[in-house]
Amino acid sequence: MTGPLPDVPPVYALGLPRLTAGFDQAERLDRRTHLLAHGSPPTLPGHRLAELADAIALRGRGGAGFPLARKLEAVAHHARRSGVRPAVVVNGCEGEPACRKDTVLLCRAPHLVLDGALLAADALGARTLVVGVTKDTAETSVRDALAERGLSDRRRGRSLRARLVRVPERLVSGEASALIRAAGGGPALPPGRRVRAAESGLGGAPTLFSNAETFAQLAVAARLGAHRYASTGAPHEPGTLLLTVSGAVPSPAVVEAPSGVPLPYVLQVCAADPAPGGVLVGGYHGAWLDAPTAYGTVVTREALAACGGALGAGAVLPVPAGSCPLGETLRVAHWLAAESSGQCGPCRLGLPALASALAATLSGGGQETLEAVRHAAQAVRGRGACKHPDGAARFVLSALDAFPDDLAAHALAGGCGRETAGVLPLPAPEAADAVDGTGTGAGNPTAAAGRLAVDWTLCEGHGLCAKLLPEAVRLDPDGYPVISDTALPGRLRGRAQRAVRRCPALALRLEKP
């Protein structure tokens, strides 16, 4: 496929469904249908819930894979130590274009996610529950689910107050500190320093933070118990998992499968090419596998890591043999660079340098540019304000390791002889043929695109707008933007809208001409 993924793609279950139970009965499980499909959840004290999470080896399913039991214990410890009641934050942002599993859960089984979050909130004695989303569909479904349960942020007589937070659809919006910051009324950006949510998260309170699938898995495990939960899946990583499969498949899908399922079986179910040119696992912060390696592994965190891959956010993306995987990598590398929040040098400067070095290598730059790629990746790893630079570097370096023959052909001869099909999903560009309020085609390069304006109460002088739109923005000696009050030409509309979207402080806007 090409183009962005739908919010809620088709869902397949390999074996008996757990997270997706009831999906054959209803498009969205309301409170009543949810209880018919899953039954009522039990109530577990904090130590029992942590023991359950530890017994089933439940790790976060958002990418980092941190053990949930350790998170629960850390939040409980810091809550006792500080005397502050903790908070629970559900991350349903899923700003990565190749992932839809959390969105599917929030849109089709929101009460299962809320069950897990409320189990944790009750066990920890939390007084605040926040669900973060980026999409209209998820926002509507979660709001309806909170209303169906009578949960609100306004009913002060309740021991628990619940609310939904909508953040911009960007990769960094789902980073833990960024979402917690947005839930506290700030911008959806990392704060520029590493913060442990379990120690000081939402409003300074110890905060349990995990993604939607993790809470849904906790709700299923609480109902089944550790023994029944472990009756399916790999012995050391029991249960099922959700995978978003896209790329070179007829249509994207979300698949619930037992852990340990052979990766080629997942690809076969989604009608992928049986001889792909490579498979990206874990998403755009994940890693590439060549075809023989991908078709010889199973889907567990341990097995994928052993062969150089990563479970990550659960995305699986085969590319066709006729498309250049390094060209696909370069497309995504440029997007990852543009997703920078512009707050630290490794991200703001290092990721564009990494993408540029990769482009030079693929154009026949030779050994010198290849070394520049590795140097740029090394320069950003472990030095960012969040994990975005680390993930982007891992993604690019894995392509160099997985496709050495293609890399040699590009570096020495300027190409491998294959086109880049563009099958890895990225956000849709602004429509070039949209019609503005004057009836003039926005794609017309002679039509005015509007005027850039800055809200000086918000601008922090990051300077990202000048890098994205140097034709219209320059920086003064203090690093703040200087913008002409003349209208922009139509040819700059898309890039101006991109600059507005990427402004870390949300201070830039595009006014109609």
Side-chain angles (χ1 to χ4, degrees):
M1 67 156 289
T2 57
L5 272 61
D7 283 3
V8 186
V11 177
Y12 306 135
L14 307 184
L16 291 176
R18 286 184 172 180
L19 301 176
T20 61
F23 280 22
D24 58 338
Q25 303 295 320
E27 190 65 24
R28 177 186 178 276
L29 277 64
D30 60 16
R31 178 72 170 143
R32 178 178 176 277
T33 311
H34 163 74
L35 291 174
L36 289 174
H38 293 280
S40 298
T43 299
L44 297 176
H47 70 282
R48 289 280 306 280
L49 194 64
E51 289 171 358
L52 173 65
D54 185 56
I56 63 173
L58 181 57
R59 292 175 173 264
R61 302 296 177 91
F66 196 82
L68 184 66
R70 289 173 58 187
K71 283 188 179 182
L72 286 163
E73 291 166 352
V75 172
H77 168 74
H78 288 294
R80 289 193 301 268
R81 183 177 180 181
S82 64
V84 177
R85 293 183 64 183
V88 174
V89 176
V90 179
N91 183 6
C93 294
E94 214 166 35
E96 187 168 329
C99 296
R100 288 295 183 271
K101 62 187 182 68
D102 287 344
T103 303
V104 163
L105 283 174
L106 292 175
C107 289
R108 299 197 60 181
H111 288 285
L112 192 62
V113 178
L114 291 179
D115 278 350
L118 291 170
L119 274 170
D122 288 343
L124 294 169
R127 65 177 182 181
T128 303
L129 168 63
V130 172
V131 182
V133 299
T134 61
K135 302 181 188 301
D136 291 338
T137 48
E139 179 180 7
T140 299
S141 178
V142 173
R143 285 196 188 281
D144 289 347
L146 291 175
E148 288 165 8
R149 289 175 176 259
L151 293 172
S152 168
D153 193 33
R154 296 182 176 87
R155 298 181 66 178
R156 298 184 180 275
R158 285 185 170 272
S159 59
L160 177 75
R161 299 173 64 187
R163 58 190 170 93
L164 183 142
V165 173
R166 177 75 179 267
V167 297
E169 192 168 345
R170 294 191 59 195
L171 187 63
V172 295
S173 297
E175 199 272 337
S177 61
L179 180 53
I180 289 172
R181 194 178 180 192
L189 298 168
R193 57 188 176 87
R194 297 286 177 92
V195 179
R196 294 182 181 274
E199 183 174 351
S200 178
L202 184 61
T207 300
L208 179 67
F209 182 98
S210 201
N211 78 312
E213 185 193 344
T214 309
F215 285 110
Q217 294 281 4
L218 186 64
V220 169
R223 287 175 168 89
L224 295 178
H227 181 71
R228 287 179 60 199
Y229 184 90
S231 64
T232 190
H236 300 296
E237 299 179 31
T240 65
L241 43 78
L242 291 181
L243 303 170
T244 309
V245 184
S246 63
V249 295
S251 65
V254 168
V255 178
E256 182 180 12
S259 65
V261 65
L263 181 56
Y265 183 52
V266 175
L267 295 173
Q268 178 185 354
V269 166
C270 295
D273 187 336
V279 181
L280 176 62
V281 290
Y284 297 160
H285 281 176
W288 283 100
L289 301 176
D290 61 30
T293 301
Y295 271 69
T297 191
V298 298
V299 185
T300 66
R301 192 178 303 277
E302 182 179 3
L304 289 172
C307 65
L311 179 60
V316 178
L317 302 105
V319 296
S323 181
C324 173
L326 293 174
E328 297 282 356
T329 301
L330 180 60
R331 290 178 61 245
V332 176
H334 281 303
W335 179 80
L336 290 170
E339 282 296 289
S340 165
S341 62
Q343 297 190 113
C344 66
C347 201
R348 180 171 61 89
L349 303 176
L351 294 189
L354 177 61
S356 296
L358 180 61
T361 300
L362 300 190
S363 298
Q367 185 65 29
E368 182 179 351
T369 58
L370 179 56
E371 289 302 319
V373 174
R374 299 190 186 281
H375 176 75
Q378 186 62 34
V380 303
R381 295 174 77 175
R383 297 179 56 227
C386 68
K387 294 294 187 181
H388 177 46
D390 294 12
R394 176 171 54 246
F395 166 73
V396 170
L397 290 178
S398 73
L400 306 186
D401 294 336
F403 310 111
D405 294 340
D406 293 320
L407 179 63
H410 276 279
L412 300 178
C416 63
R418 290 175 290 172
E419 298 292 331
T420 300
V423 297
L424 298 187
L426 290 174
E430 299 295 338
D433 57 351
V435 177
D436 63 24
T438 65
T440 305
N444 181 354
T446 64
R451 292 182 177 86
L452 283 176
V454 177
D455 184 340
W456 295 110
T457 65
L458 297 176
C459 182
E460 298 175 356
H462 292 287
L464 188 60
C465 52
K467 293 184 178 297
L468 295 174
L469 197 65
E471 298 91 338
V473 184
R474 64 179 178 85
L475 300 181
D476 67 15
D478 295 320
Y480 283 86
V482 177
I483 299 175
S484 171
D485 62 355
T486 59
L488 297 174
R491 63 182 175 82
L492 295 180
R493 177 188 298 274
R495 291 173 58 197
Q497 290 170 327
R498 185 182 183 191
V500 169
R501 232 175 22 247
R502 298 291 186 261
C503 176
L506 307 180
L508 196 65
R509 64 181 184 273
L510 184 62
E511 299 177 339
K512 288 186 177 181

